[in-house]
C-alpha cells in the first residue's frame, strides 16, 4: 500500500459552497483589503450577508475563521491513527498521518498561500497556529506512546519522533508555501518525511528483492567516528536498498 | 569540558530582591489566591506597593510576569550559541544550549512548579508558553542551519534536530515539574538529551581509551532490519564505549 493511498480524506470533500465557505471567503477578502486587526466579525457577516450568530455557529472566534479546516483535519488524523493495527510500522504511520495536514493545505493552494502571508504578519495568528501545531504533535505523540509501551524510554522516544515529524512536515510545507504553491507539495513532504523515517524508523521502502531481505549488511566504522556519520553511511546502504 | 561547565549563566545571578522580583511575587500570590483571569495589573501593583507604570517598565503584559526570565534566558542561549567555534560538535552544542533553559527552571523549583500548575489551567498562558518554546526552537535551528551550510538537506536536518532537542528537553522538564521539583532535573535532562545526541550527533562522551579511538567496530545486520534497530545496536556499541 503506498503512503498516499494509506491516508483517508482526499477527494471526498463536497465542493458546494456553504454558508461556512462564504464566511471564510468574506473574512479573507476583508483581511487582505483592510488587514486582520482592522476587520471585525460584524464586517465579515455584513459582507457575507448573514447574521452575527451564524458566524459564531461555525467559528468560536475571529482567529478560527483563518484556520477553518484544522478541526476536521485533527479529527481525520486521530481517526487515521486509531484505525491502525499492530502491523503498522509506528514511524511510518505517524508520517502518513502528517501527510493529511499537507494535503489539506495543498487542496487549496491560493487560500493556503494567502493565509501564510497573513499569519506571518499577525502575531495573534502566529500564536494560534502554534497551538494548532501543538495539538497535531500531541496526537502523533499519544499514538507513538501507545505503540512504544514497554519500550525503554518509550515516552521520550515518542515525544522526540513526534516533534521530528512535525518539524520535517513544516519544513516541507513552508518551502511549498514560499514557492507560492507552485512546487510539488507531495514530493517535498515525501522527501522530508523520508529523512525522518531513515533516522528513526523502518526504511522508506521495503527492501527490494523479496527473499533477498535476508541479505546481510556489514558496516565497519572507526570507534571514534561520530554516530551521525555512521548513520549516514547506513542510510545510503539500507535506505536506498 | 563537561556539559554543565560549558554553559554560562549559573550562580551569577544576584540574589537581592528588586522591584521586579517584588512584582513577580505579588502577581503569583494573587494568581494562586484568586486565579489568573481574576487578577488585574492594578491588583498586582497595589499588593507590591508600586505604581502601574513600574509594572509596565518591566513587563509588556500580564502574561509576561508569569515568565519573567525567558527573555534573559533566550539572550543567554543566543549568546552561548554565537560564542561557539567550528570545533564544537553541532548537536552537542544545541543540547548544551537547551540545558540553560532547564537550569533557569531548576534555579527556583517552588516558583517553577507553581507556574507549571497555573499554565496548565489557563489557555492564554499555554499559548504564551508555546510561543516562547517556538523562539527557543528557532534559535537552535538557526545555529544548526549555519553549521550545516553546504550539507545535503542541511536546513531540513537543522529543523528536525532543533525540534528533537526541544522535545527531549521538555520531556525531562515536565517529568521534573510533575515530581514537584523533587527529582534530579540535571540527570533527567542529561538522559533525554543523551538520547538525542545518540540519535543525531556524536556520542554523548568521547570514546574511552585515547589511542584506542582507532578501534574498528563491525555491525552485522539483516538487510530487512529496520534502521532504528540497527541504530540501537550501534548506540550500545559506540555510544557506551
Amino acid at each position: 500500500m503506498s503512503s498516499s493511498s494509506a491516508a483517508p480524506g482526499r477527494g471526498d470533500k463536497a465542493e458546494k459552497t456553504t454558508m461556512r465557505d462564504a464566511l471564510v471567503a468574506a473574512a479573507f477578502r476583508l483581511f487582505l483589503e483592510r488587514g486582520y486587526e482592522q476587520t471585525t466579525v460584524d464586517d465579515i457577516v455584513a459582507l457575507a450577508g448573514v447574521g452575527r450568530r451564524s458566524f459564531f455557529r461555525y467559528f468560536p472566534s475571529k482567529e478560527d475563521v483563518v484556520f477553518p479546516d484544522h478541526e476536521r483535519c485533527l479529527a481525520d488524523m486521530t481517526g487515521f491513527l486509531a484505525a491502525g493495527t499492530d502491523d503498522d510500522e509506528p514511524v511510518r504511520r505517524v508520517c502518513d498521518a502528517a501527510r493529511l495536514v499537507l494535503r489539506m493545505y495543498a487542496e487549496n493552494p491560493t487560500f493556503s498561500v494567502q493565509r501564510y502571508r497573513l499569519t506571518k504578519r499577525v502575531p495573534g495568528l502566529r500564536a494560534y497556529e502554534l497551538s494548532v501545531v501543538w495539538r497535531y504533535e500531541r496526537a502523533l505523540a499519544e499514538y507513538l506512546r501507545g505503540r512504544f509501551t514497554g519500550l525503554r524510554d518509550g515516552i521520550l522516544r515518542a515525544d522526540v519522533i513526534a516533534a521530528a515529524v512535525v518539524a520535517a512536515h513544516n519544513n516541507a510545507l513552508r518551502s511549498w508555501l514560499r514557492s507560492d504553491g507552485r512546487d510539488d507539495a507531495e514530493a517535498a513532504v515525501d522527501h522530508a518525511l523520508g529523512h525522518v523515517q531513515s533516522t528513526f524508523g523502518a526504511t522508506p521502502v521495503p527492501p527490494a528483492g523479496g527473499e533477498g531481505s535476508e541479505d546481510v549488511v556489514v558496516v565497519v566504522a572507526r570507534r571514534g567516528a561520530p554516530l551521525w556519520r555512521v548513520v549516514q553511511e547506513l542510510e545510503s546502504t539500507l535506505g536506498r536498498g
Side-chain angles (χ1 to χ4, degrees), chain A residues 112-123:
Chain A
S112 295
V113 170
Q114 282 177 347
R115 175 170 62 192
Y116 174 63
R117 293 184 189 147
L118 186 67
T119 303
K120 281 211 293 188
R121 285 200 306 263
V122 183

Side-chain angles (χ1 to χ4, degrees), chain A residues 2-13:
Chain A
S2 83
S3 51
S4 39
S5 69
R10 182 173 214 183
D12 56 1
K13 187 190 163 206

